[in-house]
Amino acid sequence: MDASSVENDLVNILFTEEEILEKLEEMARRIEADYEGKELLVVGVLRGAIMVMADLSRALERHVETDWMAVSSYGSGTKSSGVVRILKDLDTDISGKHVLVVDEIIDTGLTLSWLISNLSSRAPASVEIATLLRKPEALAMPVTPKYVGWDIPNEFVVGYGLDYQERYRNLRCIGTLAPHVYS
């Protein structure tokens, strides 16, 4: 879906599809260098990371194993409940593996902090994070991603996997959602 389809719902466009793909290419080059000679398991966090995971994986010029997890701390609202549940666990045994968790955004860090702790308890060789976006002002838990596309202000953003009530995920860009949509 193009931004023109929902232009009245967006305050502005932060990143175009071209800018996002370019940033993911940059991240892929760093990941390749850091994991040269190592087997890598890339774990996407469902559902939001679908776009990032797909395009980052395609940008990698090496073999990677992939898997998915679905965790939730939101329920139906826009604020985190603080209680994290695994909705879909990994199908892969990660013991002894280098794991790269891919997410589309780090907001409060509550869910991702819990997820990293959970994965680290499974005896991997390493666990790192790659995220397209991070909101430093919103962080409530110390989460230190190894790869960050952009730091953004603490605004409600949608597109490229990011949603509001399951809408806007298929938007090809990332934009700030207009308050009249969610107020």
Side-chain angles (χ1 to χ4, degrees), residues 141-152:
M141 292 293 290
V143 175
T144 309
K146 188 167 185 175
Y147 311 97
V148 178
W150 292 284
D151 283 334
I152 62 169

Side-chain angles (χ1 to χ4, degrees), residues 9 11-12 19 28-29 35 46 56 73 94 96 98 107-108 116 126 143 148 168 170 173:
D9 294 354
V11 174
N12 62 7
E19 291 170 320
R29 298 298 77 79
Y35 289 96
L46 292 170
L56 179 63
S73 67
I94 66 169
H98 295 280
D107 201 328
T108 64
I116 296 306
S126 66
V143 175
V148 178
Y168 306 98
N170 61 325
C173 62

Side-chain angles (χ1 to χ4, degrees), residues 53-127:
M53 177 81 160
D55 287 339
L56 179 63
S57 296
R58 283 191 294 248
L60 291 167
E61 297 292 334
R62 57 164 292 168
H63 294 289
V64 292
E65 188 177 351
T66 60
D67 204 342
W68 296 92
M69 282 191 84
V71 294
S72 175
S73 67
Y74 282 94
S76 60
T78 59
K79 300 260 190 232
S80 175
S81 67
V83 177
V84 179
R85 297 179 312 139
I86 295 177
L87 304 175
K88 187 238 176 269
D89 207 345
L90 295 173
D91 295 323
T92 308
D93 177 7
I94 66 169
S95 58
K97 295 187 179 199
H98 295 280
V99 177
L100 180 63
V101 176
V102 176
D103 210 351
E104 81 283 13
I105 192 167
I106 298 176
D107 201 328
T108 64
L110 293 168
T111 303
L112 202 50
S113 173
W114 181 91
L115 180 59
I116 296 306
S117 176
N118 179 284
L119 292 175
S120 295
S121 73
R122 302 181 193 194
S126 66
V127 178

Side-chain angles (χ1 to χ4, degrees), residues 6-24:
V6 293
E7 63 187 328
N8 293 330
D9 294 354
L10 300 177
V11 174
N12 62 7
I13 294 173
L14 296 175
F15 307 106
T16 65
E17 181 179 20
E18 294 76 24
E19 291 170 320
I20 294 166
L21 294 174
E22 185 177 298
K23 183 60 74 173
L24 292 173

